[in-house]
Amino acid sequence: MRRGGPFGAVIVKDGAIVGEGWNEVLRSNDPTAHAEVVAIRNASRLLETYDLSGCEIYSSCEPCPMCLGAIYWSRIGRVYFAVNRHDAAGIEFRDEHIYEEFARPLGARELPMVHLPCDGALDVFTDWTHLADHVAY
């Protein structure tokens, strides 16, 4: 806990734990190594699939926007958490700024985001959709 805060998560399928994780950001120097993401990675590796439909995740804290995005992408069916994001802000883990940024139009965000359309960029996406073995996830 000293190295990553009080954050842990487990993923359960059919009553069995299939993935667990704790915050490894400081240990690994990986800003994406939040407990939920680590648990998703471990569950996906164990189950040999990116699709965690039928799973539930239990987390010590309400998932941050990044983790919530990962939970949606993995298709986990339900999230349980013990402490909400407002409580986490009380110990200096503040996600509210990110939630507020997402609600702003691109041009009004603190992080500059510039759409640079260019000739041929969409062709790669179109070509991918025509591949016989493409998998939409």
Side-chain angles (χ1 to χ4, degrees):
M1 179 166 25
R2 271 183 50 194
R3 305 264 346 247
F7 302 103
V10 295
I11 297 176
V12 175
K13 183 171 186 167
D14 300 327
I17 294 175
V18 295
E20 59 185 12
W22 44 90
N23 187 297
E24 297 180 10
V25 170
L26 299 177
R27 184 190 65 74
S28 66
N29 290 317
D30 177 354
T32 69
H34 289 197
E36 296 88 344
V37 171
V38 172
I40 288 168
R41 290 172 182 162
N42 290 331
S44 295
R45 191 170 19 259
L46 178 75
L47 298 174
E48 298 180 337
T49 183
Y50 60 86
D51 185 345
L52 300 180
S53 296
C55 293
E56 299 176 326
I57 188 167
Y58 294 78
S59 180
S60 61
C61 189
E62 180 178 356
C64 75
M66 176 186 68
C67 293
L68 189 56
I71 290 166
Y72 274 103
W73 276 112
S74 67
R75 297 183 178 97
I76 289 173
R78 185 170 298 222
V79 178
Y80 299 94
F81 60 92
V83 174
N84 69 39
R85 67 182 189 241
H86 307 292
D87 295 327
I91 60 167
E92 300 183 8
F93 287 94
R94 294 184 176 89
D95 300 333
E96 205 59 40
H97 173 73
I98 300 170
Y99 285 103
E100 291 168 359
E101 281 288 287
F102 284 167
R104 292 184 177 118
L106 291 180
R109 294 181 183 173
E110 287 182 21
L111 177 64
M113 298 184 70
V114 180
H115 179 208
L116 293 175
C118 61
D119 291 339
L122 189 56
D123 295 346
V124 175
F125 289 79
T126 302
D127 291 347
W128 180 81
T129 63
H130 292 97
L131 293 174
D133 61 346
H134 85 271
V135 177
Y137 59 92

